Amino acid sequence: MTYDLVVVGGGINGAGIAADAAGRGLSVLLAEMGDLAGATSSHSSKLIHGGLRYLEYYEFRLVREALMEREVLLSKAGHIVWPQRFVLPQAPGGRSGLLLRAGLFLYDHLGPRRRIPGSGALDLNRDPAGLPLKQDLHRGFSYWDCRVDDARLVVLNARAAAEKGAVIATRTRVTKISASNGVWRVSLAGPEGLREVQAGALVNAAGPWVQGVADVVQTPAGQTREPIRLVKGSHIVVPRVRGAEDAYLFQSPDGRVVFAIPYEDAFTLIGTTDIPYTGDPAKVEISREEEDYLLDLTREFFATPPQRSDIVWRYSGVRPLYDDASTNASSVTRDYRFELTAEPGRPPLLTVLGGKLTTYRRLAEHALERLAPHIPKMGPAWTAKAKLPGGDLGAGGLDGFVERLTAKRAGFPPAYLRQLARRYGSLSDAVLGEARSLADLGADLGGGLTEREVRYLVAHEWARTPEDVLWRRTKCGLHMTEKERAGAARAIEEIVGDMAAVA
């Protein structure tokens, strides 16, 4: 088959570009060697934010764009993007109060704020945010950003692409790319076996594997000229720190910052680290030194800090950043860069470096702007006002939708319906179908996961393995015991097998 565009990489950048391109009338194939959001895009700090600390590095354009996109994503995907207050305690040896005030003033005014409150000073002796903190922390500041279910953001973009006609090929590895007669010939190895497709244009959005994809391009155009730096970021998850209902931003003596964020109702997510990485991105994992770094910093701020024995989940991701020659991994730009190769007689190849969850939509728009001269049939940009699947929540946003869903589905526990709505939004009815109670949803697999939901994820969201379901499409694995996870994994494998046999 011949496509207008083949996108390599099923992280947030690849999925965003595929969705945007398909909505502009292009025929699109997205090839992902593993699962959607299987690496960097599901191992983030799970934030939609402007990046307060980037102001120190004079990244004003990036921060402004991110702040603008924060508002866009709240409107597009209010079921998986949620406003969150952040508290920044002022500690001895940290940034001065004057500097923090100046930074927060810029943060409030660099971009529009229609749904997000502004910043303010806090008396931590009076504000409830001070309850989990040490008693010698008296002053601080608050500001607002958003949390996000990062893996679901990727999957919903893939769904948006598929709804516009794109082919989403997961578990499909690109083995060879060559140019012939003005088109790319792309060899693929996946569940369907070996096949070859043709493309008028190619996007390399493979994240940490961007150079690996470039290496299989059988032309000089395949070699990226832009320098790449891999930076590892690690996180730990612990039971909710008592009283920590706000998110916190802690300043480390080395100048870095670490977040402690409410997570999945009952937990606190702590991260991230920023260290250079030179190994295999597929084998990245948190080190004991990183755990120590995160735990030690929380001891400087929380009155009852978590211990190593409290850690219930840990994960690491590798960010493929444009190497701006910064000596400190934390200061390497998070902005994105493109490398476009479009030599006479050869089809265009666009390589994507860097980027953030928050700015993926603008990255996609800019990527297609770069390709537009080479694809004349391309339609106009469209994603700014379009809802992501499930995002049409109606009056009152997520709360209003949950209220209406609860009234309509009186046979279900309200807490379960709210959990479902925070994953699927207006698609919750599609998950539930004709069910009238939990008993109608098939086997209870634990952690709030049912057989019906697994079948929905396999049929509509490309889930194929227990990890896809328990840790990416949902976070139900976090709410299970080890025994329950093992039982759920067996059940998921059986469901996937049964559905494959029927198909």
Side-chain angles (χ1 to χ4, degrees), residues 97-286:
L98 182 62
L99 180 62
L100 294 175
R101 285 180 184 275
L104 290 170
F105 178 84
L106 281 174
Y107 207 65
D108 284 343
H109 294 90
L110 272 176
R113 283 189 297 104
R114 293 184 294 274
R115 299 174 179 83
I116 299 291
S119 62
L122 291 181
D123 180 348
L124 295 175
N125 295 321
R126 294 175 174 271
D127 193 283
L131 292 177
L133 300 175
K134 287 186 172 181
Q135 292 184 356
D136 58 352
L137 296 170
H138 304 296
R139 300 179 60 198
F141 298 90
S142 69
Y143 69 97
W144 287 76
D145 264 321
C146 296
R147 293 184 290 135
V148 67
D149 188 325
D150 51 5
R152 292 209 58 76
L153 184 64
V154 177
V155 171
L156 293 183
N157 272 276
R159 278 205 59 167
E163 289 172 3
K164 297 290 185 180
V167 175
I168 309 298
T170 60
R171 272 84 185 181
T172 300
R173 184 179 295 273
V174 174
T175 60
K176 182 181 177 182
I177 302 171
S178 60
S180 175
N181 298 322
V183 297
W184 291 110
R185 303 174 69 89
V186 183
S187 298
L188 304 173
E192 302 172 0
L194 302 177
R195 59 185 170 127
E196 183 179 275
V197 300
Q198 297 183 35
L202 183 71
V203 170
N204 179 356
W209 291 272
V210 65
Q211 185 58 59
V213 171
D215 290 342
V216 304
V217 178
Q218 304 296 301
T219 73
Q223 301 302 312
T224 62
R225 293 185 294 270
E226 298 284 8
I228 301 169
R229 182 185 295 194
L230 300 183
V231 174
K232 179 171 72 162
S234 298
H235 298 76
I236 57 175
V237 177
V238 299
R240 179 69 58 86
V241 174
R242 183 178 297 178
E245 303 305 315
D246 291 288
Y248 293 84
L249 188 155
F250 297 145
Q251 303 177 74
S252 171
D254 64 8
R256 291 187 284 179
V257 298
V258 166
F259 294 107
I261 306 166
Y263 188 59
E264 284 290 306
D265 295 330
F267 302 93
T268 297
L269 171 66
I270 301 170
T272 180
T273 58
D274 273 311
I275 60 176
Y277 187 75
T278 57
D280 182 349
K283 298 180 179 179
V284 63
E285 58 184 22
I286 189 172

Side-chain angles (χ1 to χ4, degrees), residues 435-472:
R436 292 179 170 271
S437 69
L438 289 174
D440 299 327
L441 299 180
D444 179 354
L445 305 185
L449 184 67
T450 66
E451 179 183 351
R452 171 74 65 87
E453 186 173 358
V454 174
R455 290 184 177 275
Y456 176 87
L457 293 172
V458 174
H460 300 284
E461 294 194 358
W462 302 277
R464 295 293 181 269
T465 71
E467 187 175 1
D468 297 352
V469 173
L470 297 177
W471 297 104
R472 283 190 285 274

Side-chain angles (χ1 to χ4, degrees), residues 414-435:
Y416 171 76
L417 293 177
R418 182 169 184 81
Q419 177 193 64
L420 205 68
R422 285 167 66 92
R423 286 203 280 272
Y424 304 102
S426 59
L427 295 174
S428 298
D429 278 317
V431 179
L432 295 172
E434 300 301 318

